Each structure stands twice: as C-alpha cells, then as structure tokens.
Amino acid sequence: MSTYFLTIDSPIGILKLTSDETQLNAISFDSEPLTAAPLLPDILFLVKKQLQEYFAGTRQSFDLPLDPQGTVFQKLVWKLLAQVPYGSTRSYIEIARLLGSENASRAVGMANGRNPIPLIIPCHRIIGHSGKLTGYAGGLARKKWLLLHEQKFGTNDPLFF
C-alpha cells in the first residue's frame, strides 16, 4: 500500500497530512511545505476541506476514515479521546477511570502523547486534573490556541487554565 502526503497552511502552522489510498494515517506539526504528487487520493482533499472548516469555526466534528497505528491500549485511549465533545475538556484521570483504572492516568498521558492524528482525534482536549494545561506534542501554545478556538465557536462551559 502506498503512502501519500499533503501539506496545508493553518492558523497553527503548516500541517503534514499522511494517508494511504483511503484512510488518514497521521497529521504532523511543523512540517515544511511539500510539493504535492500529481495524483493524490481523495481522502487528503477531504481532510484538508474538513480542517479548513474546523479552523473557520464551521465544523465541530470530523467524518473521516482513520487508520492510526498504535497498540491496542493506545487505540482504546484514542477512541475515548474522540468522544470528548468540541469545546470541552477531560482530564487524564477521567479517561483512566473510563478505562477502569484510576492508576492508568500516566499510561493515558503516554498514549495521548503518541496520538498520530491530532486535531481529528482531539488529544488537545485532555488537560491535567487541576485544570492546568499539560504537555502537547504540538506545544502548549498550540494546545491553548485550539482550546480557545473551540471555546469561541462552541457552546460549552468556559475553560480555566
């Protein structure tokens, strides 16, 4: 199976989209612009369109075929992350409790940090138990920007951090 790439400009920097013929595999931050191959699969253009709508404030959820690569545990965590509503946050310990083990919050944090499809699988919505912003693969400035962006266009409670 082939791998395809497309870079897009966004308010949080250049994003590199990686896919196979039919599914999104990854989104990377801090990419250099790439010259797109002459023929790219439709999935990359669909991802680009939905991300543009998200950044414009007109899209609050994504409808995309995803294929993130990870362990069984990581995929379980990512599935729970995908259920955190737009404009809302959850703590690592809340996700661990959903997994049945409050002691798993560190493992949840590790899985969160290895999420290969940020934004679409909204790992930026996971914060520390105290309400503080904690690590984010894209950097805390991006995490804060994304949370404030969603707060601006969402209908949920105010965020505190």
Side-chain angles (χ1 to χ4, degrees):
M1 197 170 274
S2 297
T3 301
Y4 301 92
F5 305 97
L6 178 67
T7 54
I8 63 170
D9 288 321
S10 81
I12 57 172
I14 296 173
L15 303 175
K16 179 181 171 187
L17 313 177
T18 305
S19 77
D20 57 26
E21 285 83 4
T22 60
Q23 299 174 105
L24 180 65
N25 304 119
I27 296 177
S28 307
F29 296 110
D30 296 324
S31 181
E32 294 294 320
L34 299 173
T35 302
L39 295 173
L40 292 173
D42 290 342
I43 181 63
L44 288 175
F45 298 105
L46 181 59
V47 173
K48 178 181 178 179
K49 178 182 182 286
Q50 289 193 19
L51 284 171
Q52 289 171 331
E53 293 168 348
Y54 170 81
F55 287 120
T58 60
R59 174 172 290 278
Q60 296 188 358
S61 63
F62 296 93
D63 181 23
L64 298 164
L66 306 177
D67 186 25
Q69 298 301 302
T71 67
V72 171
F73 178 78
Q74 288 170 336
K75 289 180 180 183
L76 184 57
V77 170
W78 300 334
K79 184 176 182 179
L80 292 173
L81 299 182
Q83 296 171 13
V84 178
Y86 181 93
S88 297
T89 59
R90 298 291 182 272
S91 69
Y92 295 98
I93 200 164
E94 287 175 291
I95 300 298
R97 285 180 185 140
L98 291 173
L99 293 169
S101 175
E102 196 169 291
N103 295 330
S105 61
R106 184 178 293 258
V108 166
M110 296 292 286
N112 198 54
R114 288 190 172 86
N115 173 15
I117 309 177
L119 305 171
I120 310 297
I121 299 174
C123 54
H124 61 277
R125 296 179 189 154
I126 310 305
I127 60 174
H129 183 65
S130 66
K132 296 220 177 200
L133 294 186
T134 56
Y136 184 61
L140 289 181
R142 279 193 184 103
K143 184 173 189 165
K144 183 176 182 178
W145 189 96
L146 291 165
L147 292 172
L148 291 173
H149 171 75
E150 290 184 7
Q151 192 63 41
K152 178 180 176 181
F153 293 101
T155 57
N156 295 301
D157 296 332
L159 300 173
F160 300 99
F161 44 83

